[in-house]
Amino acid sequence: MTGSIGHLLNRTLEVWRPAPGNGDGLGGRRTTYVNTGRSVQAKVDQPSDADRILAQQAGSEHTHTVYLLPGSDVTRGDQLRGDGQVLRVTAAVTPSSPVYLKAPCTLVQSEPG
């Protein structure tokens, strides 16, 4: 494939998708994630300052940018897991020339205890 970024994708991440969860006891639902059984090849980078500011202006947080092959089945709300990290996908964007899929993400950090 011309213009492929495949040679830059140096990590394998599992795709986890949100599924309806149990009630939280307060009238809402707790989101649970299920492993889709699929993995994707990815490159994980730190976002530029401009990307971080744009996310803040939109009321979001952008801690990592994940690049994937075009056509990867990754959508907003998914989690990408691997190498001890959990990254929540806040969007999935394909540029006008579809040589990659760009997924702005937020690192999900577990609470101690």
Side-chain angles (χ1 to χ4, degrees):
M1 167 190 323
T2 303
S4 175
I5 65 163
H7 66 285
L8 300 173
L9 307 179
N10 58 3
R11 291 178 64 179
T12 301
L13 302 173
E14 295 177 340
V15 179
W16 290 65
R17 192 145 284 164
N22 297 327
D24 64 5
L26 301 172
R29 293 224 170 261
R30 173 172 279 145
T31 301
T32 58
Y33 290 85
V34 294
N35 189 333
T36 63
R38 291 180 291 100
S39 295
V40 290
Q41 291 303 115
K43 181 176 189 313
V44 179
D45 282 341
Q46 298 294 315
S48 69
D49 289 339
D51 285 341
R52 286 181 196 251
I53 290 169
L54 186 60
Q56 287 174 348
Q57 290 173 342
S60 183
E61 186 179 11
H62 182 176
T63 63
H64 293 74
T65 300
V66 178
Y67 294 92
L68 308 150
L69 288 174
S72 296
D73 184 17
V74 171
T75 62
R76 180 182 176 159
D78 286 352
Q79 288 185 345
L80 302 175
R81 298 181 183 187
D83 297 331
Q85 290 183 318
V86 176
L87 300 163
R88 184 177 43 82
V89 177
T90 58
V93 182
T94 303
S96 58
S97 177
V99 294
Y100 61 85
L101 177 68
K102 180 179 178 181
C105 296
T106 302
L107 179 64
V108 177
Q109 297 181 343
S110 60
E111 306 231 353

